[in-house]
Amino acid sequence: MSETVVHGEAIEWSEEEEDSDDSEEEYTSPSQPLSSSNFDKDRHLVYLQMMYELLPYHYQSQEINRLTLAHFIISGLHFLGATDRVDKDEVAKWVLSFQALPSNRASLKKGEFYGFYGSRSSQFPIDENGDLTHNNSHLASTYCALAILKVTGHDLATIDSESLLLSMKNLQQDDGSFMPIHTGGETDLRFVYCAAAVSEMLGDWSGMDKEKAKDYILNCQSYDGGFGLIPGSESHGGGTYCAIASLRLMGFIGADLLSNDSSSSILDPSLLLNWSLQRQASDGGFQGRTNKQSDTCYAFWIGAVLKLIGGDAFIDKIALRQFLLSCQSKYGGFSKFPGALPDLYHSYYGYTAFSLLEEPELSPLCPELGLPLLTSLGI
């Protein structure tokens, strides 16, 4: 499969970019029409099919994240019931070519992580001894790689999960957090979530200390009920999702969190519910933080939190649907804000948000993994 097909490059899978609206100027298209009253499945199929075949040049600065972008496209097509439009075997073969493999068992003791690279530009050749000259495999890229493989129906038992999970232990820090790469990386809730999601998809939790991860997560809860990305930081929609989804995946909270006696809970569910519901703004959309603009992706990040704790009945779903439709592009896909051009990051999370709203033309969602439900269950 050509490297320019489906594998162009990806928008960084992080929440930092989504909070840049303090100073950014969104490019808006004067030809964007008024919002539609319906989810336009056909246009979204055209949009994703176009992105699968050849990406616009604007994405070239994101080359380092090819796997992430491929995840948005392939998993997006699955939500739309159109994975028959891609060559699943070729896609799986391409994804597997990004796995970092140890030359021998002794290599696993060197402290490196043997997951998946994000792109060819971060994948260095092996030396004459069969060892990697530089190992830049990344935890977020590993999440995306496994997601694509599940969507394409690939048997995850065929990958070297033992090396992956054994080396993933090297990324967990003393405080329970995770680095995304074995050297020089930051630590925050995003990578705790990636480690939990990887463990869940592989059906093996030997690669992380769940108790230490739980303690780190709880240290990130703020006074107002939300979670910051690191301890002591401002409550954030993406951080809150990573915290709650991780706790759910690890089995520390259940679907009945709100109905349980809060005194027996490891967190304050009513405070979390209150903070989450306050993120729905007057325009119907969700904001990632207090006093921020509504943004398509937070319809998933916050909406999924409410779904996971059993509070989604309190969402004004009619208003949320109208906001999302105002971000639906005439070209297919979704934009960050109404009137802006679509991008793959916000398009994917627009599809997941509509799935949370039970859009009949979309596959149901597994909110813990952010993937189509049947795919996440391995069916």
Side-chain angles (χ1 to χ4, degrees):
M1 177 173 285
S2 168
E3 289 287 333
T4 61
V5 178
V6 87
H7 326 307
E9 66 292 315
I11 297 169
E12 179 66 31
W13 188 66
S14 76
E15 292 309 293
E16 294 173 340
E17 182 174 309
E18 301 316 304
D19 284 328
S20 62
D21 49 292
D22 290 317
S23 58
E24 71 180 359
E25 292 184 8
E26 287 291 315
Y27 177 79
T28 57
S29 171
S31 61
Q32 287 276 43
L34 295 175
S35 60
S36 169
S37 60
N38 296 302
F39 178 83
D40 198 337
K41 180 179 178 179
D42 290 340
R43 288 187 185 274
H44 294 301
L45 285 171
V46 170
Y47 175 76
L48 290 179
Q49 185 73 33
M50 176 185 70
M51 293 295 184
Y52 173 75
E53 292 174 356
L54 184 64
L55 286 165
Y57 74 91
H58 305 85
Y59 285 97
Q60 60 189 349
S61 63
Q62 293 293 330
E63 193 280 333
I64 195 68
N65 299 304
R66 288 176 182 256
L67 267 180
T68 306
L69 184 54
H71 159 52
F72 293 151
I73 296 171
I74 304 300
S75 299
L77 286 168
H78 193 290
F79 272 113
L80 296 170
T83 49
D84 58 333
R85 300 194 180 198
V86 304
D87 189 328
K88 297 179 184 179
D89 291 337
E90 280 298 310
V91 169
K93 179 181 178 181
W94 177 79
V95 170
L96 291 169
S97 72
F98 285 102
Q99 186 174 15
L101 298 170
S103 58
N104 52 59
R105 300 296 296 177
S107 298
L108 294 173
K109 300 179 180 179
K110 296 180 179 179
E112 297 187 6
F113 173 52
Y114 291 93
F116 286 78
Y117 304 105
S119 70
R120 291 283 179 247
S121 62
S122 62
Q123 185 177 25
F124 290 84
I126 59 176
D127 62 20
E128 63 275 7
N129 298 318
D131 295 321
L132 295 171
T133 53
H134 298 284
N135 180 1
N136 292 317
S137 59
H138 195 283
L139 197 50
S141 300
T142 302
Y143 162 85
C144 292
L146 296 182
I148 296 169
L149 292 173
K150 284 186 107 27
V151 166
T152 56
H154 185 80
D155 183 2
L156 296 186
T158 63
I159 72 171
D160 187 0
S161 59
E162 182 181 4
S163 296
L164 193 161
L165 292 168
L166 188 61
S167 64
M168 193 170 77
K169 291 182 178 180
N170 298 325
L171 303 181
Q172 190 165 22
Q173 307 301 295
D174 291 340
D175 63 359
S177 65
F178 275 81
M179 293 174 64
I181 194 169
H182 72 273
T183 181
E186 57 194 337
T187 62
D188 59 53
L189 283 178
R190 292 173 298 171
F191 308 119
V192 175
Y193 170 74
C194 287
V198 165
S199 300
E200 176 69 14
M201 285 190 277
L202 291 176
D204 186 338
W205 289 86
S206 63
M208 64 184 296
D209 185 326
K210 293 196 290 184
E211 284 292 334
K212 290 176 68 173
K214 179 194 72 175
D215 291 341
Y216 179 79
I217 292 170
L218 296 180
N219 284 334
C220 291
Q221 187 168 27
S222 181
Y223 70 93
D224 56 8
F227 290 76
L229 285 170
I230 59 174
S233 62
E234 179 185 9
S235 293
H236 184 283
T240 301
Y241 170 80
C242 289
I244 298 305
S246 297
L247 291 173
R248 182 70 173 272
L249 288 169
M250 292 188 291
F252 291 118
I253 61 173
D256 56 350
L257 182 65
L258 288 177
S259 62
N260 284 343
D261 179 7
S262 61
S263 63
S264 64
S265 175
I266 61 174
L267 50 83
D268 188 331
S270 59
L271 199 60
L272 171 61
L273 174 66
N274 184 60
W275 181 86
S276 300
L277 291 175
Q278 287 184 15
R279 301 284 68 75
Q280 187 164 23
S282 58
D283 60 6
F286 278 93
Q287 58 184 195
R289 292 182 286 159
T290 304
N291 296 323
K292 290 291 184 177
Q293 197 171 347
S294 296
D295 178 333
T296 294
C297 70
Y298 291 109
F300 169 75
W301 299 122
I302 303 293
V305 167
L306 289 165
K307 181 71 173 179
L308 288 169
I309 67 173
D312 54 308
F314 298 108
I315 298 173
D316 186 340
K317 295 180 180 179
I318 295 176
L320 178 57
R321 179 182 174 85
Q322 288 305 310
F323 173 80
L324 291 171
L325 288 174
S326 73
C327 297
Q328 180 176 242
S329 171
K330 69 176 183 179
Y331 308 110
F334 289 89
S335 59
K336 178 176 183 176
F337 305 130
L341 291 173
D343 65 76
L344 280 165
Y345 175 91
H346 291 93
S347 295
Y348 182 74
Y349 288 109
Y351 303 142
T352 59
F354 264 102
S355 182
L356 276 173
L357 293 174
E358 300 180 347
E359 173 65 35
E361 294 188 288
L362 290 172
S363 297
L365 173 76
C366 173
E368 301 97 312
L369 291 175
L371 296 174
L373 180 61
L374 295 184
T375 298
S376 68
L377 296 176
I379 299 174

